[in-house]
């Protein structure tokens, strides 16, 4: 199933609301997913690096007072296009899954 582990789509979705650092991205995914979605550091940063390399997100280092600089990620125009494509695929996928899972009248006859 294509969407089970589509972390990149979730990252793009969260970044559409504004620029965030990695920890906040993971936190928002968890919150928005009602704790059903959990993102670990070992998953998130490779996905962010891939998205940055593809040009879907941009990143800048932002200094913090008394702390190390923080890398902030932003959605690019290319990332918005990818997000739209991911969303469309998700809608198509969810319609198909709904047609399989929706309650139906029991059929009469046939193999059991």
């Amino acid at each position: 199933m294509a969407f089970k582990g589509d972390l990149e789509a979730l990252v793009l979705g969260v970044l559409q609301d504004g620029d965030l650092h990695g920890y906040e991205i993971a936190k928002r995914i968890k919150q928005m997913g009602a704790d059903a979605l959990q993102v670990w550091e070992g998953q998130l940063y490779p996905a962010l690096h891939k998205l940055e390399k593809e040009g879907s997100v941009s990143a800048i280092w932002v200094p913090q007072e008394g702390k190390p600089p923080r890398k902030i990620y932003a959605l690019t125009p290319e990332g918005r296009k990818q997000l739209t494509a991911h969303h469309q695929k998700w809608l198509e996928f969810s319609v198909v899954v709904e047609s399989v899972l929706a309650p139906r009248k029991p059929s009469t006859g046939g193999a059991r």
Side-chain angles (χ1 to χ4, degrees):
M1 294 174 67
F3 293 96
K4 183 177 180 186
D6 204 355
L7 177 57
E8 293 167 19
L10 296 175
V11 169
L12 295 173
V14 168
L15 286 174
Q16 72 181 321
D17 296 329
D19 305 352
L20 299 168
H21 57 84
Y23 175 76
E24 188 64 29
I25 292 169
K27 191 169 126 183
R28 296 259 178 108
I29 289 171
K30 184 177 179 184
Q31 288 172 342
M32 294 173 84
D35 292 334
L37 301 171
Q38 183 77 34
V39 178
W40 305 108
E41 195 174 297
Q43 300 168 304
L44 179 62
Y45 289 100
L48 284 167
H49 294 152
K50 181 177 183 236
L51 289 167
E52 187 178 6
K53 186 176 179 183
E54 293 173 351
S56 301
V57 300
S58 60
I60 58 168
W61 287 98
V62 176
Q64 301 183 93
E65 195 171 315
K67 296 179 184 178
R70 197 175 246 177
K71 196 170 189 179
I72 304 294
Y73 297 90
L75 194 60
T76 65
E78 177 59 30
R80 288 195 185 281
K81 287 180 195 172
Q82 282 190 7
L83 177 58
T84 299
H86 279 293
H87 187 233
Q88 185 59 43
K89 287 178 186 176
W90 172 254
L91 291 174
E92 292 166 6
F93 177 77
S94 63
V95 166
V96 171
V97 170
E98 177 62 23
S99 72
V100 172
L101 298 180
R104 294 179 287 281
K105 291 182 184 179
S107 62
T108 56
R112 292 189 188 227

